[in-house]
Amino acid sequence: QLQASGGGLVQAGGSLRLSCEVSGGPFSTYQMGWFRQAPGKERNIVAGIEWSGDSTYYAESVRGRFTISRDNAKNTVYLQMNSLKPEDTAVYSCAAAARGPYYTTSSYDYWGQETQVTVSS
């Protein structure tokens, strides 16, 4: 089970931190990712992190502004979002991959519920 939290309403330029706690599985072996879907658009990967935390991936649109991290002792993955823009408005979800590259959407098997992020201009 993946439980995401931390979404909300923020002004452009502000920050939010999303958290996703994983239970019922070997978290430390999972690749983890954050995804988002804006109204009328497809879901896309925002950031991914390899099981050890040593390697990360970012979509071009968020690189330099967002940071993905994980705490394997707490079974939690985070997404720190800084310098938020109105175009970051979307529902965000976390996901876990038991195998496959952490930077590929098709690798992800387990999905958490969505959390809304709204950035006002």
Side-chain angles (χ1 to χ4, degrees):
Q1 184 176 1
L2 288 77
Q3 185 77 28
S5 60
L9 172 65
V10 64
Q11 288 188 329
S15 299
L16 283 174
R17 188 174 84 154
L18 305 182
S19 300
C20 177
E21 184 175 1
V22 179
S23 59
F27 177 80
S28 63
T29 69
Y30 289 150
Q31 322 281 39
M32 296 297 299
W34 284 99
F35 296 77
R36 70 185 182 187
Q37 186 171 20
K41 296 187 177 181
E42 65 180 19
R43 182 171 58 191
N44 291 312
I45 186 168
V46 174
I49 187 166
E50 185 239 5
W51 65 271
S52 69
D54 288 344
S55 298
T56 56
Y57 164 84
Y58 295 97
E60 181 65 31
S61 58
V62 306
R63 196 168 298 146
R65 301 187 297 122
F66 291 10
T67 303
I68 188 171
S69 62
R70 65 190 296 160
D71 185 337
N72 285 350
K74 295 182 178 179
N75 290 357
T76 301
V77 62
Y78 305 96
L79 186 68
Q80 178 66 44
M81 305 185 293
N82 298 330
S83 302
L84 282 161
K85 304 176 181 180
E87 51 262 43
D88 295 317
T89 295
V91 289
Y92 286 70
S93 53
C94 61
R99 61 191 62 82
Y102 57 92
Y103 46 81
T104 304
T105 301
S106 60
S107 297
Y108 288 85
D109 312 292
Y110 311 106
W111 295 84
Q113 88 283 7
E114 299 165 336
T115 186
Q116 177 71 44
V117 172
T118 303
V119 184
S120 63
S121 57

